[in-house]
Amino acid sequence: MEQIVNIGVVGIGNMGSAHGMSLYKNKVKGCKLVAVCDSDEKRLQWAKSNLKGVKCFNDYHELINSGIVNAIVVATPHPMHPVIVEEACKNGIHVLTEKPAGVDVKTVAHMNQVAKESGVVFSIMYNQRTNPLYTELRRVFQNGDLGQLVRFNWIINNWYRTDAYYASGDWRATWDGEGGGVLMNQCPHNLDIWQWITGMPIRIRAFCHKGLFHPIDVEDSAEIFAEYENGAIGIFQTSTGEYPGTNRMEISGTRGKAVIENGKLTITLLKEDLMEYTKNSKEFMPKIDVDERTIIQEEPESAHIGILQNFSNAIRKGEPLLSPGEEGIYGLSLANAAYLSWWKNDFVNLPLDEDEYLHFLQSIKNSNHEKHIKTLCEDGSYGEYSNRWKVKW
């Protein structure tokens, strides 16, 4: 008989309830939802009404030690991710955590070490790694088809949010609850895809804007300028205050360029390396022959279900992980470095000085009397994957 993963979901708010419902409806092969956990009684009542026969806990310690699960999905507020992951790992329980991996690199590095020593399967919900356009661009870039990196640009400002969104939870848009704003909530996927394709830069300079569009004490707009070891430049722009916004990634290399926008990947390749052509050509402004091909994304990526299925397969069959949990530290490093650059008004080198970041973060927390929008809005999205989490061109 094929092994079945008895899985629990810790945190059944927006994302956790969606994961729980997918598991409950058997959309993930080889997995059975046996337990959920949340400290909010309202969420537990939702689970009792919608997830019949699933054990409900209000304490994650009890779920982990219950003996009824051999894997969990962690979908709590960000600071709790490493705490719960570490406890699960120490108890031999496989873990899939929501993004981001945590709120600071030092804590996440420790979590990664605990996970490695435990030997459990540890994954992170980087569902955009299942997008076929990003996957193909990564293959093309890492194969060297584009040559050496010259410039990376990503405008990803179609994350529009209303004040009601920020009012939907006290933990949202706070340094204590989320560890930041748009870079820590909306953009972990994008920061991951950036480094997943091009690798990590060596230093960055960032400009973040606190409460530019919403009455919050964290950034809702940011620009990151990055420098690579070979002198290449990266530019990343994002916000939650523009509509309809843009999602356009462009990579220029010495052998051509690639653009992802509006559901298609266009790859333009030169016949020879541009650096050689530049040195050898006798023409001032030549028109160079190129080969161009376009890949259209005709089917949606497998997204959250794809990562859950890969997690299940890794436990049952040893399938390689699409998004290993320890890789969550890279995108988080970009976010942490961006904040440190903002606070210091200076360039920040990578790898990040973990202790310096924690010092500044604590200073920001101490100096902020965080405001949060209070409304009576009711979050009724439990159990659904909203379009808000899909790749929107």
Side-chain angles (χ1 to χ4, degrees), residues 14-15 99 128 156-168 172-173 178 181-182 185-190 212-216 219-220 238-244 373 386-390 392:
N14 286 343
M15 288 311 304
K99 56 78 182 172
Q128 290 192 18
I156 174 68
N157 60 5
N158 60 346
W159 288 119
Y160 175 70
R161 297 291 186 269
T162 64
D163 287 356
Y165 166 81
Y166 290 108
S168 66
R172 292 195 183 281
E178 286 193 302
V182 62
N185 189 318
Q186 284 73 39
C187 287
H189 291 299
N190 311 117
L212 186 62
F213 303 107
H214 311 89
I216 56 178
E219 89 293 350
D220 51 13
T238 191
S239 89
T240 60
E242 300 170 68
Y243 191 90
I373 313 164
S386 164
N387 283 335
R388 151 187 158 201
W389 291 288
K390 294 185 181 296
K392 294 171 292 184

Side-chain angles (χ1 to χ4, degrees), residues 11 32 52 63 78 87 98 118 132 134 158 165 170 173 201 206 224 251 257 270 309 325 348 378 384 386 388-389:
K32 180 181 180 182
K52 301 293 186 181
L63 185 152
H78 305 163
E87 181 164 339
E98 261 296 342
S118 72
Y134 294 143
N158 60 346
Y165 166 81
D170 285 347
I224 300 175
I251 297 180
K257 76 170 185 177
L270 309 179
Q309 188 62 65
V348 168
E378 190 73 19
E384 298 178 0
S386 164
R388 151 187 158 201
W389 291 288

Side-chain angles (χ1 to χ4, degrees), residues 311-327:
F311 179 57
S312 171
N313 293 349
I315 295 170
R316 295 180 298 117
K317 305 175 182 180
E319 180 177 289
L321 289 171
L322 295 173
S323 54
E326 61 268 18
E327 293 186 9

Side-chain angles (χ1 to χ4, degrees), residues 188-223:
H189 291 299
N190 311 117
L191 296 175
D192 172 63
I193 292 295
W194 173 8
Q195 68 79 30
W196 190 55
I197 293 174
T198 70
M200 291 288 284
I202 60 170
R203 69 171 186 160
I204 69 170
R205 179 72 171 93
F207 300 88
C208 302
H209 311 280
K210 182 180 77 171
L212 186 62
F213 303 107
H214 311 89
I216 56 178
D217 274 332
V218 294
E219 89 293 350
D220 51 13
S221 177
E223 295 80 39

Side-chain angles (χ1 to χ4, degrees), residues 202-304:
I202 60 170
R203 69 171 186 160
I204 69 170
R205 179 72 171 93
F207 300 88
C208 302
H209 311 280
K210 182 180 77 171
L212 186 62
F213 303 107
H214 311 89
I216 56 178
D217 274 332
V218 294
E219 89 293 350
D220 51 13
S221 177
E223 295 80 39
I224 300 175
F225 299 85
E227 182 179 345
Y228 289 81
E229 190 169 11
N230 72 340
I233 297 298
I235 302 172
F236 183 91
Q237 297 173 288
T238 191
S239 89
T240 60
E242 300 170 68
Y243 191 90
T246 298
N247 185 350
R248 176 186 170 90
M249 180 197 294
E250 179 174 319
I251 297 180
S252 294
T254 57
R255 295 191 66 92
K257 76 170 185 177
V259 176
I260 296 182
E261 188 176 23
N262 297 325
K264 65 181 181 181
L265 165 62
T266 301
I267 300 171
T268 307
L269 298 180
L270 309 179
K271 302 293 186 182
E272 63 178 294
D273 192 282
L274 188 62
M275 301 306 292
E276 291 299 317
Y277 197 97
T278 300
K279 286 189 290 185
N280 297 328
S281 176
K282 304 303 181 184
E283 299 180 67
F284 292 170
M285 294 176 288
K287 181 178 180 180
I288 304 174
D289 290 335
V290 298
D291 288 327
E292 183 175 289
R293 66 183 175 100
T294 297
I295 301 168
I296 298 175
Q297 184 182 351
E298 297 178 345
E299 299 291 335
E301 62 272 12
S302 59
H304 305 89

